[in-house]
Amino acid sequence: MVNMRVLVTGGAGFIGSQVVASLAAEGHTPVVLDALLPAAHPRTPELPEAEFVRGDVRDAHAVSRALRGVDAVCHQAAMVGLGKDFADAPEYVACNDLGTAVLLAGMAEAQVRRFVQAGSMVVYGEGRYECREHGAVRPGPRAAVDLAAGSFEPRCPHCGAQLVPGLVNEDAPTDPRNVYATTKLAQEHLAAAWARSAGGTAVSLRYHNVYGPGMPRDTPYAGVASFFRSALAGGEAPRVFEDGAQRRDFVHVRDVARANVSVLAGIEDMPAGGHRAYNVGSGDPRTVGEMAAVLAAEHGGPAPVVTGEFRLGDVRHITADSSRLRRELGWRAEVGFAEGVAEFARAGLRASARVG
């Protein structure tokens, strides 16, 4: 693979810093663009060993500086998680969609033609389901009255029967069910529009539940694994919502970083003007309750408490079929669940605004 100069937006963050390290290990020259916003970095983080430009992706001048001499972009900068309530919507749209539009406009001006975007499995909404009578079906959003009654499983929209969850692939229809998910899908559409207009090649990596060392602590915008690890760090029991039987695909952050490098190795063979999506998951689905229990045991903390609480906008089961990425680019997850959770249970977390 030809070594490239690669801009990593959000390169000081949880996933971005691992992408920087993986790029450097493969002989590429990473350049980091990060605003170091207090909401994500209340304390100045340990910066990656790379050229660093402090700036926001919404700032066209900062983007222009960072793009000088760049061959490709790995766009990791984003506001993540379900958030607190709909009042967060303007900030999500500004950070994720406006930021992506400014970045892509800068790339068009600088004639940078390779773009890898940190996408998310949330664009699918619920995962894949089979009804024994009606085959593959797409259940609608779960009703608050059902969730409050402890009825968490989606039902067949035709007959009301219980459904069997399966793996979702990239050809599944998209159905974002909260503001964050909506912005992540909009990022993909922006990337596809840029590719067509600028003659570039765009790839969206739909990350599943990423976890690992360096996750942010004590923030409503982090993933469920971070919630559990933060509780344990404070000597508290992890609180598991619903009944803990929600299925997820937990994928280690180093595997996610390697997926970005794998895409850059193969992007030259992809057609100009096109956009391609890939799931990035471990291929080893686990329940949320299992993640909490294993993490607590490895940390030596109190056992999880299943609360029955719920959040509107959460989905019940979403697990990945990542065979396209394996088949087309040779990537596969290398960090097993037991190994990864054991490491995560002992690793440090990043400070959050609440801690700092």
Side-chain angles (χ1 to χ4, degrees):
M1 174 174 55
V2 176
N3 292 335
M4 291 186 280
R5 182 175 168 87
V6 183
L7 175 63
V8 183
T9 69
F14 166 49
I15 298 176
S17 60
Q18 293 284 352
V19 172
V20 169
S22 291
L23 288 168
E26 292 297 320
H28 298 293
T29 301
V31 179
V32 172
L33 173 65
D34 201 303
L36 300 181
L37 296 175
H41 302 282
R43 303 169 186 165
T44 301
E46 182 178 343
L47 298 177
E49 294 184 8
E51 181 180 333
F52 181 78
V53 177
R54 183 165 185 171
D56 197 305
V57 289
R58 294 168 288 187
D59 181 344
H61 296 293
V63 167
S64 179
R65 291 200 314 274
L67 285 170
R68 289 171 188 162
V70 161
D71 301 300
V73 173
C74 285
H75 183 32
Q76 309 296 316
M79 186 173 176
V80 302
L82 185 59
K84 293 178 288 186
D85 53 43
F86 200 82
D88 290 326
E91 192 69 9
Y92 272 109
V93 173
C95 288
N96 297 354
D97 298 337
L98 176 60
T100 299
V102 172
L103 174 63
L104 290 169
M107 291 177 63
E109 177 70 22
Q111 298 186 15
V112 179
R113 299 288 186 252
R114 306 175 184 95
F115 182 68
V116 183
Q117 176 235 339
S120 175
M121 54 82 179
V122 295
V123 301
Y124 297 117
E126 286 285 355
R128 186 177 188 276
Y129 292 90
E130 293 275 346
C131 172
R132 289 182 173 84
E133 180 177 352
H134 295 99
V137 296
R138 293 188 58 78
R142 296 178 295 168
V145 64
D146 292 334
L147 296 171
S151 179
F152 302 121
E153 293 291 341
R155 296 283 176 169
C156 176
H158 305 295
C159 66
Q162 188 163 335
L163 301 172
V164 178
L167 302 182
V168 63
N169 65 31
E170 296 88 348
D171 295 324
T174 53
D175 184 17
R177 303 223 172 152
N178 55 59
V179 170
Y180 170 62
T182 302
T183 65
K184 296 308 288 184
L185 184 57
Q187 284 184 307
E188 293 197 14
H189 289 315
L190 287 166
W194 164 84
R196 288 191 298 271
S197 175
T201 304
V203 172
S204 295
L205 293 175
R206 292 173 177 170
Y207 302 160
H208 282 247
N209 287 71
V210 186
Y211 75 99
M215 286 193 85
R217 176 179 176 176
D218 292 321
T219 166
Y221 304 100
V224 67
S226 177
F227 295 166
F228 297 157
R229 182 65 180 79
S230 296
L232 290 165
E236 301 174 0
R239 295 175 62 84
V240 179
F241 280 18
E242 301 187 16
D243 59 0
Q246 311 94 300
R247 287 162 55 89
R248 296 291 187 269
D249 188 324
F250 294 100
V251 59
H252 196 276
V253 65
R254 286 196 298 273
D255 284 328
V256 168
R258 287 192 308 100
N260 281 266
V261 178
S262 295
V263 167
L264 286 174
I267 203 167
E268 282 296 309
D269 298 325
M270 299 180 188
H275 171 262
R276 189 82 164 144
Y278 293 98
N279 286 334
V280 182
S282 68
D284 182 21
R286 304 281 176 151
T287 68
V288 170
E290 185 177 6
M291 164 58 89
V294 174
L295 190 59
E298 290 288 348
H299 189 272
V305 175
V306 178
T307 69
E309 296 172 89
F310 61 90
R311 299 190 303 179
L312 285 177
D314 273 344
V315 299
R316 181 61 174 173
H317 305 296
I318 176 71
T319 53
D321 177 357
S322 299
S323 59
R324 175 185 288 180
L325 190 55
R326 292 195 300 270
R327 183 175 64 254
E328 295 186 6
L329 295 174
W331 174 91
R332 67 178 60 248
E334 295 180 351
V335 181
F337 181 77
E339 171 193 356
V341 175
E343 177 195 22
F344 182 46
R346 296 167 178 81
L349 299 172
R350 288 173 180 256
S352 76
R354 178 174 148 192
V355 175

